[in-house]
Amino acid sequence: MKQNTIDRLISLFSKLPGIGKKSAGRITYHILDSNPALAQAFAKELSGLHQVIKRCGICGSFTETDPCYVCSDSDRDHSLICVVENAQDIRVIEDGREFSGVYHVLGGLIAPLEGISPANLSIDKLISRICNTQVKELILALNPTVEGDTTALYLQKILKDFNVDISRLASGMPVGGNIEYIDKLTLSRSFRGRVKI
Amino acid sequence: MKQNTIDRLISLFSKLPGIGKKSAGRITYHILDSNPALAQAFAKELSGLHQVIKRCGICGSFTETDPCYVCSDSDRDHSLICVVENAQDIRVIEDGREFSGVYHVLGGLIAPLEGISPANLSIDKLISRICNTQVKELILALNPTVEGDTTALYLQKILKDFNVDISRLASGMPVGGNIEYIDKLTLSRSFRGRVKI
């Protein structure tokens, strides 16, 4: 079968995260079988995507307006910054409706083996935010992985001379989890981070 | 968060088969993070999709040329028709490079509970192909499910007066499978369909 529109679309879909060649085929044929309006809606949203969506000049998240709706909201606590790896994490935290401060997107985590050093992350911008605005507390909402731990440690080290409290999200057993099936590292963190009741 | 471009794109992606809301978010942010060329390539392929891809007038598969490359290939055996549920199945069979005949897409399987009756399938067209061309054999490549079995039985019944051999793909243990983990129905079919060696 020579490379045609269907092949090209399948190969595009299989470049997306979590989509293999089989799923890409299933998706492509689903779109072909569906009302052409679905393909048109996709084409419309995607063709203008990078014109419409920009990075917020303050926090670095994706937004249609600059600054983003979080950074421009005066009801939020601008002295409390939640530091996240990427813009998608903001969405998850916003869905939780727990956090009332503002965000800062690092744009990755320190990973020497993948060639990501502190210079590749938006750390200078974070420091200038701390210097120029009345930031009192940083919450590091970074994944509890080797890269997340390394990045948290690095931030803690370079920010120790600034008058700002730094904390990190609690790591331990997920709600509804079962001690029997929990891995050793998570169990060890749960012990170390135990909470007095 | 109000409904914006990102939300709309996530909701579009979550309409695709096998993609939940979380995956849709991950995919959308991946595209945002990627080179704008990726979004543009998607937009380009999808905007013209239904103009470029049509149904083949003979077999019913998706194609850019009518008839499709299989139906217009004189090297293939046009007296041997492989009957499939949908156009995607043709792709899988073609990848196997085992079959040298032509195809016929039914466009579904008989499923009374879902309101799909024989009248909804491309059965009349199959009969007219059998009547008008020198068809000697039909291979029913239908899923070994209740719907596939029903459809195979129905086709066998209405085609019994035509001078055409009808067979169905063998059902049994997959290659590399383990008898210990095989379900009862598959094992039973493997016994009934045992092959003399």
Side-chain angles (χ1 to χ4, degrees):
Chain A
M1 211 188 278
K2 60 182 195 292
Q3 179 86 2
N4 58 21
T5 304
I6 296 181
D7 295 317
R8 286 200 303 274
L9 203 50
I10 289 178
S11 119
L12 277 174
F13 272 115
S14 59
K15 282 180 191 161
L16 300 178
I19 299 185
K21 216 187 145 202
K22 285 261 176 192
S23 305
R26 204 170 147 219
I27 289 168
T28 302
Y29 281 93
H30 173 85
I31 294 175
L32 275 166
D33 261 334
S34 302
N35 191 313
L38 179 65
Q40 289 305 323
F42 263 111
K44 185 171 162 263
E45 297 297 350
L46 287 164
S47 68
L49 190 65
H50 287 83
Q51 277 82 56
V52 174
I53 311 279
K54 304 276 171 204
R55 291 261 181 198
C56 169
I58 300 173
C59 70
S61 77
F62 290 112
T63 173
E64 293 186 25
T65 55
D66 189 7
C68 69
Y69 78 100
V70 174
C71 290
S72 55
D73 185 348
S74 57
D75 288 345
R76 299 187 72 123
D77 183 357
H78 288 253
S79 71
L80 175 61
I81 296 183
C82 177
V83 179
V84 293
E85 178 187 347
N86 55 48
Q88 198 180 347
D89 295 339
I90 295 180
R91 196 176 180 89
V92 179
I93 297 169
E94 284 294 286
D95 277 352
R97 293 168 198 280
E98 179 82 21
F99 181 70
S100 62
V102 293
Y103 296 94
H104 188 85
V105 177
L106 286 181
L109 294 173
I110 299 170
L113 289 179
E114 291 169 40
I116 304 176
S117 73
N120 300 115
L121 307 181
S122 171
I123 293 175
D124 289 350
K125 218 166 183 175
L126 177 63
I127 293 175
S128 80
R129 279 181 84 177
I130 294 170
C131 294
N132 300 330
T133 58
Q134 304 288 319
V135 177
K136 287 184 197 142
E137 188 180 350
L138 283 190
I139 299 176
L140 307 183
L142 306 175
N143 291 339
T145 56
V146 174
E147 292 81 12
D149 292 355
T150 308
T151 311
L153 219 66
Y154 179 85
L155 288 174
Q156 193 188 1
K157 205 177 111 193
I158 61 159
L159 296 173
K160 70 177 190 297
D161 297 332
F162 293 88
N163 185 24
V164 60
D165 290 333
I166 304 178
S167 59
R168 195 163 172 208
L169 290 193
S171 177
M173 297 214 306
V175 176
N178 189 325
I179 294 182
E180 206 174 333
Y181 296 110
I182 225 74
D183 65 287
K184 283 183 201 166
L185 273 171
T186 304
L187 193 61
S188 147
R189 289 220 180 169
S190 294
F191 268 98
R192 276 189 280 151
R194 65 191 179 278
V195 181
K196 205 160 183 174
I197 51 170
Chain B
M1 210 186 279
K2 60 180 194 295
Q3 180 85 4
N4 57 20
T5 304
I6 296 180
D7 295 316
R8 286 201 303 274
L9 203 50
I10 289 176
S11 122
L12 276 175
F13 272 115
S14 60
K15 281 182 193 161
L16 299 179
I19 299 184
K21 215 184 146 203
K22 285 261 175 193
S23 304
R26 204 170 147 219
I27 289 169
T28 302
Y29 281 93
H30 172 84
I31 294 175
L32 275 167
D33 261 333
S34 302
N35 191 311
L38 179 66
Q40 289 305 324
F42 263 112
K44 183 171 162 263
E45 298 296 351
L46 287 165
S47 67
L49 190 65
H50 286 83
Q51 276 82 54
V52 173
I53 309 279
K54 303 278 173 204
R55 290 263 182 198
C56 169
I58 299 173
C59 70
S61 77
F62 290 112
T63 173
E64 294 187 24
T65 55
D66 189 8
C68 69
Y69 78 100
V70 174
C71 290
S72 55
D73 185 348
S74 57
D75 287 345
R76 299 187 73 123
D77 183 356
H78 288 254
S79 70
L80 175 61
I81 297 184
C82 178
V83 178
V84 294
E85 178 186 348
N86 55 48
Q88 199 181 346
D89 295 339
I90 295 179
R91 197 177 179 87
V92 179
I93 297 171
E94 284 294 286
D95 277 352
R97 293 169 199 276
E98 179 81 22
F99 181 68
S100 62
V102 294
Y103 296 95
H104 189 84
V105 177
L106 285 181
L109 294 174
I110 298 171
L113 289 177
E114 290 169 40
I116 305 176
S117 73
N120 300 116
L121 308 181
S122 171
I123 293 176
D124 289 349
K125 218 166 183 174
L126 177 62
I127 293 176
S128 80
R129 279 181 85 178
I130 294 171
C131 293
N132 300 329
T133 58
Q134 304 289 322
V135 177
K136 287 186 196 140
E137 188 180 350
L138 284 190
I139 300 176
L140 306 183
L142 306 175
N143 291 340
T145 57
V146 174
E147 292 80 12
D149 292 355
T150 309
T151 310
L153 220 62
Y154 179 84
L155 287 174
Q156 192 187 359
K157 206 177 109 193
I158 62 158
L159 296 174
K160 71 176 189 300
D161 295 333
F162 293 88
N163 185 23
V164 61
D165 290 333
I166 304 178
S167 59
R168 199 167 168 204
L169 289 193
S171 177
M173 299 213 307
V175 176
N178 190 323
I179 293 182
E180 206 175 334
Y181 295 110
I182 224 75
D183 65 286
K184 282 183 204 167
L185 273 172
T186 304
L187 194 61
S188 147
R189 288 219 181 170
S190 294
F191 268 97
R192 277 189 280 152
R194 66 191 177 277
V195 180
K196 204 159 184 175
I197 50 171

